[in-house]
Amino acid sequence: MSVRVGAARVRALLLTLVTFFFVAGTATGCAGGDERPRVVVTTNILGDITREIVGDEADVSVLMKPNADPHSFGLSAVQAAELENADLVVYNGLGLEENVLRHVEAARTSGVATFAAGEAADPLTFHAGEEGGPDGEAGEPDPHFWTDPDRVRKAAGLITDQVVEHVDGVNEKAVRDNAAHYDGQLAELTTWMEKSFATIPEDRRALVTNHHVFGYLADRFGFRVIGAVVPSGTTLASPSSSDLRSLTRAMEKAGVRTVFADSSQPTRLAEVLRREMGGDVDVVSLYSESLTEKGKGAGTYLDMMRANTSAMAEGLTGD
C-alpha cells in the first residue's frame, strides 16, 4: 500500500513538473517569438496621432494621462524604462515635456530611435510685443504646433516615415494606408475650420488665452493674439501684477471681452482678469494641451480641434 502511494506521489510530481515547464516555455519562448514592436509617445495628443498611423501594426504606449499638463507631468520608474525598451520614441520637443526630456535623451543615448515632431513642423517663435503674434519671450520656440492642422499633417507624414524605418516587423503598406486615410481626415478638418472661422467678423478675430498656446492657429487662420494671462509658452510661469495690467489695457484697446482658458488648468488667473475688467469678460474653456478620456469632449485630436473651433467661433461672435 505504501509503495503504491509513493508511486502515485511520484507520478503527480512528474506531472506537475511537466506542466510547469510547458507553461513556462509558453510564457517565455513563445512570447518572445510573438513579442510585438513598441512605439512610446510622450504626450497624449501625439499619442492619438501616432495610433491612427500605426493601427494594429505595433503597440503604442502613451506616457501622458488624459487631462494632464504636458509642461509638468512626470514619469514613474516603469515608464522611464519603457522609453529605453522602445523601438521608437515620438515626442514633441521644443521644451514642451519639461520633466520628461531627460528620459528621452537617456533613451536616445542608449540607442533608441527618437523623433521630435514639434522640431520638424516648421516651428514658430514667440516675438515680444509683435502685433499679430504671440508676445512671449523673444526667440523662444513655440511647442504648440498641433493647433495648426496643416502642421499636424506634415508631422504625421514624418512620423509615418519614422515608423516604417525604425519599427521592425510592421507592414509598410498598412502603415502608409493608415497614414493616407488620416491625412484625408486632417485635410477635411482644415476645410471645416476655415468655414467655421469665416463666420467671425475680422475685427473680432482677437485671442486672449491663459498662456500662449494658439499662436499656430492664429498664424494659420488669420487671428490676432492680443496676449495671455500667463505671458509665456509654459504653464509653469507666473504673471506679475504689471503683466495683468498690461493685458487689461491691451484687451480694452482691442475691445476684447473673451478669454480662452484650458479646460484642464485652473481658471483662477482668468477670473482675476475678469475682476480687473469689472466682470465684463467671458471665460471660455478650450482643450488646448491635453486630450480628455474617450467620450469626455476631446478624446481624440480631431474631437479636440472641432470642439475648440466651435467654442471659439461661438465665443467671438456672441454679443
Side-chain angles (χ1 to χ4, degrees):
M1 180 72 178
S2 60
V3 173
R4 288 197 296 272
V5 171
R9 287 178 177 173
V10 169
R11 287 196 296 272
L13 177 59
L14 288 173
L15 179 61
T16 300
L17 289 172
V18 169
T19 302
F20 171 80
F21 284 115
F22 175 80
V23 172
T26 303
T28 56
C30 294
D34 293 339
E35 185 176 348
R36 286 167 55 79
R38 170 164 292 188
V39 180
V40 176
V41 189
T42 55
T43 69
N44 54 41
I45 293 174
L46 275 177
D48 176 64
I49 294 166
T50 303
R51 280 176 171 151
E52 290 289 340
I53 295 165
V54 172
D56 296 328
E57 293 302 307
D59 292 330
V60 177
S61 177
V62 180
L63 302 179
M64 177 180 159
K65 295 180 179 179
N67 298 310
D69 183 342
H71 298 281
S72 61
F73 85 101
L75 301 185
S76 67
V78 172
Q79 287 178 314
E82 279 189 66
L83 284 168
E84 298 195 26
N85 291 314
D87 294 277
L88 172 67
V89 171
V90 177
Y91 68 110
N92 191 92
L94 301 177
L96 181 73
E97 310 99 321
E98 299 178 46
N99 293 326
V100 178
L101 291 176
R102 62 187 177 90
H103 297 292
V104 173
E105 182 58 36
R108 182 188 300 111
T109 301
S110 70
V112 177
T114 63
F115 177 65
E119 295 173 10
D122 300 323
L124 298 174
T125 57
F126 294 114
H127 296 289
E130 179 179 321
E131 179 68 19
D135 59 342
E137 302 85 343
E140 289 197 1
D142 184 346
H144 310 98
F145 76 93
W146 61 84
T147 64
D148 174 2
D150 285 345
R151 280 183 166 86
V152 169
R153 290 181 71 185
K154 178 177 181 179
L158 295 172
I159 291 170
T160 302
D161 293 339
Q162 292 288 317
V163 170
V164 169
E165 180 179 355
H166 295 293
V167 184
D168 292 338
V170 300
N171 182 313
E172 178 175 355
K173 184 179 184 303
V175 171
R176 294 202 182 276
D177 285 348
N178 292 339
H181 176 72
Y182 192 55
D183 183 75
Q185 291 181 300
L186 292 172
E188 291 174 0
L189 172 66
T190 299
T191 300
W192 179 81
M193 290 177 68
E194 288 175 335
K195 291 179 179 178
S196 299
F197 289 145
T199 64
I200 305 173
E202 186 67 30
D203 61 346
R204 291 196 178 187
R205 291 191 172 208
L207 298 178
V208 176
T209 55
N210 238 23
H211 77 289
H212 285 301
V213 68
F214 287 102
Y216 289 92
L217 182 145
D219 180 73
R220 172 62 181 81
F221 295 102
F223 286 81
R224 292 173 295 133
V225 178
I226 302 303
V229 180
V230 179
S232 174
T234 173
T235 57
L236 302 184
S238 299
S240 65
S241 56
S242 62
D243 290 330
L244 290 175
R245 284 194 299 270
S246 296
L247 180 57
T248 299
R249 288 194 295 267
M251 290 178 65
E252 290 173 343
K253 181 180 178 181
V256 174
R257 286 291 182 271
T258 303
V259 177
F260 295 101
D262 191 291
S263 62
S264 66
Q265 299 297 324
T267 60
R268 178 180 58 83
L269 292 173
E271 297 297 338
V272 170
L273 185 64
R274 186 209 294 264
R275 290 196 297 271
E276 287 280 328
M277 297 188 69
D280 188 22
V281 172
D282 292 325
V283 179
V284 177
S285 293
L286 299 179
Y287 307 103
S288 59
E289 294 200 293
S290 177
L291 301 183
T292 64
E293 295 175 346
K294 299 294 184 183
K296 299 296 184 180
T300 69
Y301 171 74
L302 297 175
D303 289 343
M304 179 186 77
M305 294 300 288
R306 289 183 178 277
N308 286 346
T309 299
S310 297
M312 293 172 74
E314 182 178 348
L316 294 174
T317 55
D319 295 326

